[in-house]
């Protein structure tokens, strides 16, 4: 009876020690727990799969109590065949395409209905303008507020476009809860409401996200039938096909969809995945348009915004300069749009008061923005000067019209059946002014509107603005050359609609930094006759925009602080900078003979997520890399409560004291803990505990001196290696090819440095500035590119060789080789050596275990209000070097694993 | 006086020894010579560059003796600016586009002229049918024979398409003399003659080659102005842009060109290179069409084969099944075409007598084929039933015609202005028969014609056959449904021209395994209204053809035995096979403590091009890899004549004999050698020499026992490494991503095996057979995929750890670890272990030296007559395992280097 309290005291004491001394223990234990949980779930899944696959056939046979045995066998075979086919890619792609077409069509239908409802309400109240205004304004405010609130409550990940996040995911980064069913529901309903409100928002980006969600969920569902869906790379391939489907069924543009999604989400594209995208996008676009035919909207399958430009003489050769000017101006406009969008977000963030207020009242901002925009577009008000009553779809149809608007004074010109161009006519104001106002107003409106925390994209508004700008240029041309430029007998008047097409492609190309918008417009309009003007304008717009600003999606990636790798510039400096100029030389490492104390030090001083494992301090031969969590678990095992108690018990036995055994598994519960603290202070036996304290401290010192036992460790046996001489260009290529996060720099097996995404980014952004002035690292020019490297290499080898020669002898404590390296003048390195602490981790591309899924899952909720992914997105490369990225906050980690996130990791091209 | 003969005897003796004993010395010496030569040339080039860049400005200033100094400064600045701009990519791309447009236009013009000349001749002789026949037949025979002969003499590399070779080059393999000026001339002139003959040959593939030649030559030329053009990766990027230009300006189809060239030449595509292709191809297509306008061929820029299908109702939804059937049939047809083409080549090769005869009389085969084909197409003869008088261009225009041909009995139907469809009308034979005959005859004719040794492609003939087939289906549909399928009020008759477009895209897509032929037809016809039928047909055709046969280009790659990596199949087996199942465990390696004898043995037994360098036999820690040539040079240095003589001289001095010095540099000249052999046998002093012989043998033994000194060696310090657990799928991805040729398999730093392209190919082709039956490696099913690997990994580490623990002590001669590995049951490995001898070499992707250019440059002249690249192409992976690929036949190597081949090596993504 008297002995039980002792054990409990020990227990308690142990707990106290744990809290004060055991660095990172809580994290580690939960990490381990998460892993076990994941393993259990995986086993469960496997079990369920086996039962479902094997169990299903007999069960169904049971059900179909058919007297005809032959028929039964036949059915069973059919089922087996069908189940085996389920694993095929094309089944998946067809299902994905079908699903997305249905979703797309249903959403379009609902959105059109919502917009009609607004029109109807507005029209019904035509007697009272105030009521009309209230109806016109209230309707979108309610819808947007609902959309923002609904998304906020259900799944904040659904906010925004989706393309930046998909680009990050396809690069191998795991974004937590980004592809769940909740997010799907939030995105679909939120997007429908947001677009139904008639605000200048787009659906392309969100559709990419919706399609990816569909693919992820479908993959999860189909994993019930076969094992292939659990494969990580397979999922990545399917996700990239899904992106194509998203764009493809949004515009009924399969080819453009595939190309656009490649340009926007990939840095390197596997041609073998090409057909997947085409197949799924074509099927989806087909079904999407067939639904329109069945719904009697269309007579047959045609383009979404069909144009009817003349075929025999689409444009004159001498119009090409005008198209080129249009392209260049669009380039500037696109860059301005990206800049404006970023400035709005950043200025809102900087204003602490505004930011705080908005964080509290999350729905105020969208409501205010909607109120402002809908007020300005109120048709009897300012809206009359900017065709405010038209929806995006109607505006686009009007802008692509193949009539010339300039002669609008003559009413007979408007033989075009619908009433649409009427909206652009104003008795007092010329069509040029209307178009100009439309462009200017829509420009800032859509830049502001896309910052609202609702699911929305920016492609479609930009496309519309581009079309309007093109129309403006076209109408001006038509005004200047009323009979066309062509000097021959036949008069071919200028087609302003063609300019609108060119402008739409150019501006949207400039904003997104893509060329495939050209293909999208051909598919959207169903005409390819303007191919050369479109291509020229798009390329020029891209050239201008790319030299001024990042693409809209890259801009959002930077705003949200998602990990990214900037593109290389055009200069030749990238070939002259080498890894040795940018690498971090002070690498944290552990050796095979490290003691636990070394381990503890490495864990405390370094904040990397992986540590290099080298053979010995002298040889520095890289053997592999280990996860920080692995090492933490090693350390905590060594100093574990169980072992400590074991030691104390043994010691007590040696001293003749009887220490009873007690269940080691039961963790100290908090209630009990408090009780015993009370107990402890009331009936203290201070000396006894002080004695034990000393014993334990001594024991710990002793334990830390022991050499680490790596027996149960998981080691990445082939982390990616570079050589010092590798050029920046090649490093960039390899990093983007393999989706690496860091690579060790070795020289004939010896570890000499490490390069992470961060160093690479600094090197690229430092050397290739926006203004085009390029700075080379100071040492690069002094280096003789011919043979210096091979000399150093030989020297290294020589060292190794001499060392090896002297190996059988006991070694003299010679100068460690790493110090040789760090003693070299390091003026050439762009990166401060102390900054290596923030090396975020990613496994080698040759590593197949599941830990990769845990990467970047360590989220701290983001509190920036205006970021379009407001919370739970992960930003391992956030800000300066101060934040510990390697640290895993335990709860999200557990969550990700226990939810069995279906996310892929392209970082490892398995 | 008496002592001089002694030295010369020694000299001679040494030479004899060299011949008998010094394995591979000749090769090595020439290799070294070649390297020196290359270095010299490079220095020369650098010198020339500096003089040209720096010397130019003053020189020109000298020339422009302007009194106005200000103007002079201004001019100089302008020049500097221009020269600095020359390095920019876009300048290069514009020049490339311009050049190719001019070449393309000039060739088209000449070809059209040649074809017109034939028509004119044929028409002029209408009085005498025999003369007509002779003229009709002689003209193409002469042209083709000239083309074959000219190409054969000037540059046999110019024969054939060019796409398979470009695919190989872009994969990182160097094909000797494939991108030289000679080849350019041969290709352009040969192709013009071949196409001018009117044979069913294409120009797309050759144009890809011509564009690549242009890029390579332009790159060489522009390297005179700036250094960036010497960069290997840059050249690769430019070559891939050039491929796009080639297709783009051939069809005036920039988008299709870019996509087609990506699909056909790449496995992984860098999206950042995307714009290059678009930019260059658009510019080229633009100039190409502008030239047509300037030449008054066209009124404005339009599509090459402009169609005028109605826009409002291009096709009915119910026609889609017909399009699908068309696609599926095209898929079978495409596979049949590839099969037929390969069968023709292979059957000709197998017939030894025919092959021998044709090798002697190289011009007989093309002449006979041309005679046969032109006889059959003779318009008054059989040609009247198959529109034989039409050129490809005319046929295509006719097939894409938007009139229906079925009602051809009524002459008034032919309101179409030109006389073209007349050729398809025959008083006795229905148009269906004509079309059918056209398809069947052209099918085998073009399959045969493309095997002729002239520059030619197969795309255009296949495209034409597809169009005819589509027309046939369309006309049949029109015959069955004369008033269209649509049941509503409006009658929309069926458009057979649309079917022709769909058929053309589907068949050419099936033959080339590409989807982008869809885009090409849109650009060619200038109409995109049939997008859905085209996409559906192309995808179905691809699905069928890909499951039956490789693409035409892959088929040619296999016929020519170029190195390749097959695509992975669709199954999930690729995820279950692992590197440990396919790797070669018996790796040749050298250690840091290897003696020269070990080196000699490794060089004799293994026939790899690189050898692994490990720390020691016990640790097996991989430090790097070394070129075989490096090691040979080490060995020959150790046993060099100079050192041997030095030894003999020292020895003689020790014995009191006076051995005079003599010029060591002068090599033994053959004339002198023969003289001394005579001298030697006449006045022999046999004992003296025998004594020396023994001394030398003893000395050599002694030398071989010495440990190798790696001081002056070039070592690849980071060869690519995989882990045993890496799946086949991931391995395939990495090999194609990085263009690897082999990778070492390591386990925590220890070398355990090697995987080369060959093993990978065997594994893929073994597991995924053509018939769809997939064989898994026997061991794969026994393996527990869960944790076996991690256990083995831990064991490995444990070994290493224990070894390290015992390191300071003298080591016991424990069992080498490699033997542990090889003792494991190796039933699972697909590859016989002895087959590792044929590991062809490629450096690690992280290796930057110039040696890579020498890879695959070791050509043995190919004697297969029908291979479209008849000689000097390189096939390092030829045939079985018996051929020594690593061996460098010295002459070609020297040649490649001394010509300063501008070839890139994508294998190393520097």
């Amino acid at each position: 009876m008297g002995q039980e309290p002792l054990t409990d005291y020990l227990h308690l004491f142990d707990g106290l020690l744990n809290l004060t001394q055991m660095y990172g223990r809580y994290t580690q234990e939960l990490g381990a727990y998460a892993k076990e949980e994941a393993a259990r779930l995986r086993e469960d899944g496997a079990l369920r799969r086996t039962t479902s696959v094997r169990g299903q056939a007999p069960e169904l046979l049971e059900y179909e109590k058919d007297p005809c045995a032959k028929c039964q066998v036949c059915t069973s075979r059919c089922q087996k065949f069908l189940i085996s086919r389920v694993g095929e890619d094309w089944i998946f792609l067809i299902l994905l395409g079908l699903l997305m077409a249905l979703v797309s069509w249903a959403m379009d239908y609902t959105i059109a209905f919502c917009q009609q409802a607004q029109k109807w309400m507005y029209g019904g109240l035509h007697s009272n303008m105030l009521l009309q205004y209230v109806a016109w304004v209230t309707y979108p405010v309610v819808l947007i507020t609902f959309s923002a609130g609904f998304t906020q409550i259900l799944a904040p990940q659904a906010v925004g476009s989706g393309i930046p996040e998909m680009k990050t995911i396809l690069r191998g980064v795991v974004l937590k809860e980004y592809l769940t069913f909740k997010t799907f529901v939030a995105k679909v309903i939120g997007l429908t409401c947001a677009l139904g409100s008639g605000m200048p928002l787009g659906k392309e980006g969100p559709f990419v996200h919706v399609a990816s969600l569909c693919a992820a969920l479908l993959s999860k569902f189909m994993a019930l039938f076969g094992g292939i869906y659990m494969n990580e790379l397979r999922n990545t391939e399917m996700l990239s096909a899904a992106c194509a489907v998203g764009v493809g069924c949004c515009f009924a543009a399969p080819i453009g969809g595939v190309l656009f999604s490649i340009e926007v989400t990939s840095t390197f594209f596997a041609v073998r995945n090409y057909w997947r995208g085409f197949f799924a996008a074509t099927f989806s676009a087909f079904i999407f348009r067939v639904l329109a035919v069945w719904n009697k909207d269309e007579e047959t399958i045609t383009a979404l915004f069909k144009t009817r430009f003349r075929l025999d003489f689409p444009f004159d050769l001498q119009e090409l300069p005008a198209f080129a000017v249009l392209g260049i101006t669009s380039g500037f406009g696109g860059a301005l749009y990206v800049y404006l969008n970023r400035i709005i977000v950043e200025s809102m963030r900087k204003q602490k008061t505004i930011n705080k207020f908005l964080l509290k009242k999350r729905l105020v901002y969208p409501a205010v923005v909607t109120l402002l925009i809908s007020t300005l577009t109120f048709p009897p008000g300012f809206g009359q000067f900017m065709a405010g009553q038209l929806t995006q779809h109607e505006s686009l149809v009007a802008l692509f019209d193949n009539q010339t608007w300039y002669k609008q004074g003559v009413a007979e010109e408007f033989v075009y059946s619908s009433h649409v161009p009427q909206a652009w006519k104003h008795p007092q104001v010329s069509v040029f002014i209307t178009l100009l106002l439309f462009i200017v107003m829509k420009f800032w409106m859509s830049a502001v509107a896309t910052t609202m925390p609702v699911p929305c994209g920016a492609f479609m508004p930009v496309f519309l603005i581009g079309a309007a700008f093109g129309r403006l240029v076209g109408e001006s041309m038509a005004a200047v050359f009323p009979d066309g430029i062509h000097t021959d007998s036949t008069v071919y008047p200028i087609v302003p609609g063609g300019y609108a097409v060119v402008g739409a492609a150019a501006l949207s190309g400039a904003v997104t930094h893509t060329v495939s918008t050209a293909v999208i417009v051909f598919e959207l309009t169903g005409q390819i006759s303007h191919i050369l003007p479109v291509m020229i304008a798009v390329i020029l717009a891209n050239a201008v925009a790319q030299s001024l600003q990042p693409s809209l999606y890259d801009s959002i990636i930077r705003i949200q602080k998602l990990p990214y790798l900037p593109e290389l510039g055009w200069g030749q400096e990238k070939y002259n900078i080498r890894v040795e100029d940018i690498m971090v030389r002070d690498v944290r490492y552990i050796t095979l003979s490290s003691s636990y104390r070394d381990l503890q030090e490495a864990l405390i001083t370094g904040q990397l997520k992986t540590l290099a494992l080298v053979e010995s301090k002298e040889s520095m031969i890289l053997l592999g890399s280990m996860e920080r969590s692995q090492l933490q678990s090693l350390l905590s095992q060594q100093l574990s409560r169980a072992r400590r108690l074991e030691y104390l018990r043994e010691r007590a036995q040696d001293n003749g004291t009887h220490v009873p055994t007690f269940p080691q598994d039961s963790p100290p519960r908090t209630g009990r803990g408090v009780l015993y603290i009370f107990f402890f202070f009331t009936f203290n036996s201070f000396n006894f505990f002080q004695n034990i304290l000393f014993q334990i401290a001594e024991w710990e010192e002793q334990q830390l001196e022991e050499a680490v036992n790596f027996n149960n460790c998981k080691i990445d046996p082939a982390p990616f290696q570079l050589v010092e001489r590798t050029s920046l260009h090649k490093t960039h290529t390899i990093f983007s090819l393999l989706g690496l996060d860091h690579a060790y720099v070795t020289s004939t097996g010896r570890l000499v440095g490490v390069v992470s995404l961060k160093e690479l980014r600094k090197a690229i952004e430092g050397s290739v500035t926006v203004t085009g002035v390029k700075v080379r690292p100071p040492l690069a020019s002094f280096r003789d590119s011919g043979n210096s490297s091979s000399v150093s290499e030989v020297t290294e080898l020589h060292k190794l060789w001499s060392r090896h020669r002297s190996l059988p002898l006991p070694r003299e404590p010679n100068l460690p080789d790493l110090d040789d390296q760090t003693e070299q003048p390091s003026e050439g390195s762009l990166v401060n050596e102390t900054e290596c602490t923030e090396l975020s981790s990613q496994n080698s591309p040759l590593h197949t275990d599941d830990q990769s899924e845990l990467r970047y899952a360590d989220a701290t909720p983001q509190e920036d209000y205006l970021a379009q992914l407001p919370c739970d997105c992960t930003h391992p490369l956030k800000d300066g070097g101060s934040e510990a990225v390697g640290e895993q906050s335990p709860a999200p980690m557990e969550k990700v694993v226990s939810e069995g996130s279906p996310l892929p990791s392209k970082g490892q091209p398995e």
Side-chain angles (χ1 to χ4, degrees), chain A:
Chain A
M1 185 64 199
Q3 277 149 4
E4 259 192 85
L6 174 62
T7 31
D8 276 324
Y9 285 160
L10 286 179
H11 211 134
L12 160 71
F13 196 69
D14 210 50
L16 284 175
L17 271 186
N18 268 346
L19 285 176
T20 51
Q21 245 186 334
M22 274 300 298
Y23 166 79
R25 178 140 184 243
Y26 180 60
T27 315
Q28 173 46 37
E29 280 200 346
L30 262 174
Y33 168 74
K35 261 180 214 174
E36 280 165 26
E37 193 67 19
R40 196 183 59 75
L41 276 174
R42 220 174 300 129
E43 275 171 22
D44 275 7
L47 207 70
R48 198 173 44 209
R49 267 202 310 285
T50 10
T51 51
S52 67
V53 172
R54 297 200 186 147
Q56 203 162 7
E59 202 175 285
L60 284 168
L61 283 178
E62 197 79 20
Y63 177 74
E64 295 169 11
K65 288 269 183 207
D66 203 321
C68 169
K70 208 173 177 181
C71 187
Q72 221 172 24
V73 171
C74 193
T75 317
S76 139
R77 265 190 201 158
C78 274
Q79 278 166 2
K80 268 186 195 164
F81 178 78
L82 280 178
I83 286 168
S84 75
R85 288 291 107 175
V86 161
E88 301 273 347
D89 285 357
W90 61 273
I91 300 271
F92 180 86
L93 294 171
I94 281 185
L95 284 178
L96 179 63
L98 191 64
L99 206 61
M100 270 311 290
L102 290 172
V103 169
S104 176
W105 187 80
M107 277 176 70
D108 272 10
Y109 193 84
T110 320
I111 291 165
F113 179 80
C114 286
Q115 288 174 342
Q116 281 308 311
Q118 186 186 18
K119 283 249 172 94
W120 171 83
M121 227 157 60
Y122 164 77
L125 297 167
H126 61 92
S127 52
N128 187 332
M129 196 183 276
L130 186 68
L131 271 182
Q132 230 181 354
Y133 171 73
V134 170
W136 178 264
V137 161
T138 315
Y139 188 81
V141 169
V142 168
L143 276 177
I144 288 284
T145 313
F146 170 75
S147 171
F150 183 76
T151 319
Q152 188 58 47
I153 291 163
L154 196 64
Q157 290 86 354
V159 160
S161 158
I163 291 180
E165 290 83 5
M166 285 317 296
K167 184 173 188 175
T168 312
I169 287 176
L170 286 174
R171 210 198 163 274
V173 179
V174 173
L175 296 181
K176 199 168 70 76
E177 297 206 356
Y178 201 72
L179 297 177
T180 58
F181 184 69
K182 256 188 182 175
T183 315
F184 177 75
V185 173
K187 193 101 188 183
V188 168
I189 294 181
L191 182 62
T192 311
C193 294
L195 295 184
S197 74
M199 288 292 104
L201 300 171
K203 67 173 188 168
E204 193 185 50
F207 257 58
V208 168
H209 188 189
V210 169
S212 307
L213 282 161
C214 269
L217 297 173
L218 198 61
S219 198
K220 233 179 192 173
F221 173 74
M222 290 179 80
L224 301 175
F225 300 98
I228 196 173
Y229 289 97
M230 302 303 281
N231 187 283
E232 202 181 67
L233 183 67
R234 156 87 177 217
N235 280 344
T236 309
E237 285 175 356
M238 289 308 163
L239 275 188
S240 66
C243 291
V245 171
V247 185
C249 77
C250 174
F251 293 144
I255 302 171
V258 172
L259 300 183
F260 186 80
S261 75
I262 289 174
E263 280 194 271
V264 154
T265 59
S266 311
T267 42
F268 277 85
F269 186 72
V271 177
R272 66 157 181 263
N273 292 342
Y274 202 58
W275 72 267
R276 273 180 243 272
F278 269 109
F279 182 75
T282 303
F283 188 78
S284 189
F286 167 62
I287 297 290
F288 179 61
R289 296 307 287 159
V290 162
L291 286 171
V293 176
W294 286 346
N295 200 39
K296 305 280 178 200
D297 293 341
E298 304 269 356
E299 212 169 7
T300 186
I301 291 176
T302 51
L304 216 52
F305 294 97
K306 201 161 76 176
T307 53
R308 284 171 189 81
F309 304 142
R310 60 164 187 266
L311 288 178
D312 45 351
F313 194 90
F315 60 93
D316 195 283
L317 206 55
Q318 297 165 64
E319 290 179 58
L320 282 179
F323 288 119
V325 168
L326 179 55
I328 291 168
T329 323
S330 295
F332 284 108
L336 182 65
Y337 185 88
V338 174
Y339 178 73
L340 194 65
N341 187 281
R342 196 171 59 243
I343 284 295
I344 292 169
V345 174
E346 281 177 356
S347 64
M348 297 290 277
R349 272 193 195 172
K350 274 182 196 157
Q351 292 285 332
K352 294 278 173 194
T353 19
I354 299 180
N355 202 14
K356 265 187 190 167
F357 174 74
L358 291 179
L359 270 175
K360 274 183 202 158
K361 315 272 180 194
R362 284 176 189 269
L363 303 184
V364 170
Y365 179 69
V368 169
V369 169
T370 313
L371 186 66
L372 177 68
I373 292 175
S374 55
T375 302
L376 283 173
T377 55
F378 182 52
F382 189 74
Q384 64 184 299
F385 305 110
M386 52 170 284
Q389 72 195 77
L390 298 183
T391 63
Q392 279 188 17
H393 192 278
E394 289 163 347
S395 307
L396 212 50
V397 167
L399 290 170
F400 286 168
D401 178 19
N402 55 341
Q403 304 292 321
T404 309
W405 293 356
Y406 173 60
K407 302 176 192 164
Q408 62 166 348
V410 194
E412 295 86 57
E413 285 295 316
F414 287 99
V415 285
Y416 197 64
S417 64
S418 101
H419 69 290
V420 174
Q422 212 64 32
W424 299 89
K425 266 205 284 190
H426 193 272
Q428 282 90 43
V429 179
S430 136
V431 73
F432 293 104
I433 304 291
T434 312
L435 276 171
L436 201 65
L437 277 175
F438 180 87
I439 293 162
V440 172
M441 297 304 281
K442 286 278 175 183
F443 196 84
W444 71 259
M445 277 177 182
S446 77
V448 172
T450 47
T451 64
M452 292 193 296
V454 293
C456 64
F459 186 90
M460 213 47 199
V462 166
F463 193 82
L464 185 62
I465 295 164
F469 180 61
R471 186 94 210 177
L472 183 63
V473 174
E475 294 288 340
S476 312
M477 285 292 286
V480 176
F481 304 102
D483 295 327
I485 301 176
H486 198 65
T487 47
D488 273 11
S489 53
T490 335
V491 170
Y492 292 116
I494 281 165
V495 183
Y499 285 81
V501 170
V502 173
L507 192 65
S508 51
V511 168
T512 56
H513 286 199
T514 55
V515 193
S516 48
T517 50
V519 184
I520 290 180
V521 296
F522 301 142
E523 290 180 278
L524 265 186
T525 60
Q527 282 203 304
I528 203 171
S529 50
H530 278 74
I531 178 162
L532 265 176
V534 168
M535 289 302 294
I536 289 169
V538 166
I539 286 172
L540 288 174
N542 261 283
V544 171
Q546 289 189 15
S547 59
L548 292 175
Q549 285 284 325
S551 83
L552 182 64
Y553 305 123
D554 285 339
S555 165
I556 294 174
I557 284 180
R558 288 178 206 196
I559 289 172
Q560 294 189 356
K561 305 219 165 62
L562 296 168
Y564 73 100
L565 188 60
E567 278 305 299
L568 286 172
W570 283 25
Q572 49 179 299
E573 272 66 28
K574 57 195 174 190
Y575 299 109
N576 296 334
I577 304 176
R578 299 205 182 141
V579 160
E580 55 189 333
D581 298 323
I582 62 168
M583 72 181 180
V584 174
R585 287 166 195 276
D586 182 23
V587 194
R588 303 284 147 188
Y589 63 90
I590 43 168
T591 71
L592 282 179
S593 52
S594 280
S595 67
Y596 282 97
R597 187 176 302 284
D598 299 338
L599 203 64
Q600 201 182 26
E601 262 169 35
L603 285 174
I604 291 170
T605 57
Q607 289 181 328
L608 311 109
K609 211 170 175 183
T610 59
L611 278 100
L613 177 66
V614 299
E615 200 201 26
S616 67
K617 205 180 171 186
E618 291 79 35
S619 75
M620 287 299 286
I621 289 176
L622 183 68
L623 298 179
S625 74
M626 297 174 81
E627 297 258 319
R628 186 188 182 76
S629 58
Q630 280 283 329
L631 297 173
Q632 278 172 343
S633 112
L634 276 183
L635 191 61
S636 63
Q637 259 175 29
Q638 182 72 1
L639 300 178
S640 66
R641 193 162 51 80
R643 294 192 68 226
R644 197 177 304 156
L645 283 174
E646 184 66 29
Y647 163 75
L648 284 176
R649 202 176 307 119
E650 274 172 22
R651 209 181 150 87
Q653 273 171 345
D654 289 353
N655 296 352
T657 325
H658 178 61
V659 181
T661 54
F662 69 95
Q664 291 178 5
D665 296 337
S666 66
R669 267 165 257 142
T670 334
R672 262 173 104 196
V674 170
L675 193 74
Y676 283 117
I677 284 172
F678 177 67
F679 184 73
F680 171 71
F681 281 110
T682 318
F683 314 96
N684 74 69
S685 48
F686 186 75
N687 280 333
F688 175 74
F689 280 108
Q690 205 176 30
N691 189 19
I692 290 182
L693 184 67
F694 277 121
Q695 278 178 20
I696 286 177
E698 189 190 325
W699 175 81
E700 277 206 339
E701 284 302 308
Q702 190 187 321
Q703 292 297 309
L704 284 175
E705 285 311 314
E706 278 187 21
V708 182
N709 181 356
F710 288 108
N711 271 12
N712 298 316
C713 260
K714 206 151 189 150
I715 293 168
D716 175 3
F720 201 84
Q721 296 172 27
L722 296 170
V723 203
E724 288 158 286
R725 295 174 295 150
T726 314
S727 70
L728 181 62
H729 190 276
K730 191 192 268 184
T731 311
H732 183 272
T733 307
I734 290 171
F735 267 67
S736 21
L737 261 172
L738 300 177
L740 293 184
D741 197 85
H742 71 271
Y744 290 108
V745 183
T746 56
S747 172
T748 46
R750 294 157 30 86
L751 177 69
V752 294
V754 69
V755 176
S756 74
L757 213 53
K758 194 186 141 205
E759 277 86 53
L760 203 57
R761 208 161 55 218
K762 280 199 179 177
I764 293 167
E765 291 181 343
S767 68
V768 184
T769 59
V770 178
T771 50
V773 182
K774 286 149 195 172
V775 188
R776 299 176 70 188
L779 264 194
S781 49
F782 293 107
R783 190 176 46 222
D784 177 14
S785 62
N787 47 7
S788 68
S789 53
S790 68
V791 166
S792 80
E793 191 180 294
V794 168
T795 320
E796 290 304 326
L797 190 74
H798 192 58
K799 270 184 206 161
L800 202 64
W801 183 57
S802 352
R803 190 184 72 84
H804 190 260
R805 277 296 155 96
S806 64
L807 209 65
L809 305 171
R811 277 185 223 166
E812 67 275 34
N814 54 349
L815 205 68
D817 286 336
L818 185 72
D819 295 351
D820 287 357
Q821 287 291 344
T822 47
E823 269 168 34
Q824 287 172 8
S826 63
E827 295 95 347
S829 66
L830 283 171
V831 182
N832 194 316
E833 287 180 10
T834 57
E835 287 179 355
C836 93
T837 49
E838 199 223 331
L839 186 86
S840 65
S841 140
Q842 190 169 19
N843 294 321
S844 114
L846 318 171
H847 199 75
T848 41
D849 54 359
D850 297 322
Q851 290 162 325
S852 57
E853 286 200 2
L854 305 178
R855 271 177 299 136
Y856 296 124
D858 40 346
T860 48
Q862 183 177 349
E863 282 305 325
D864 282 325
Y865 178 67
L866 284 170
Q868 276 137 325
L869 191 73
C871 87
D872 289 336
C873 105
T874 62
H875 26 143
L877 299 162
K878 193 178 182 176
D879 295 326
S882 60
E883 203 179 330
V885 172
E887 284 308 284
Q888 294 161 343
S889 66
M893 180 153 172
E894 180 195 344
K895 208 169 181 182
V896 168
V897 174
S898 61
E899 288 205 7
S901 156
L903 291 180
S905 162
K906 201 187 174 187
Q908 311 175 318
E910 135 89 12

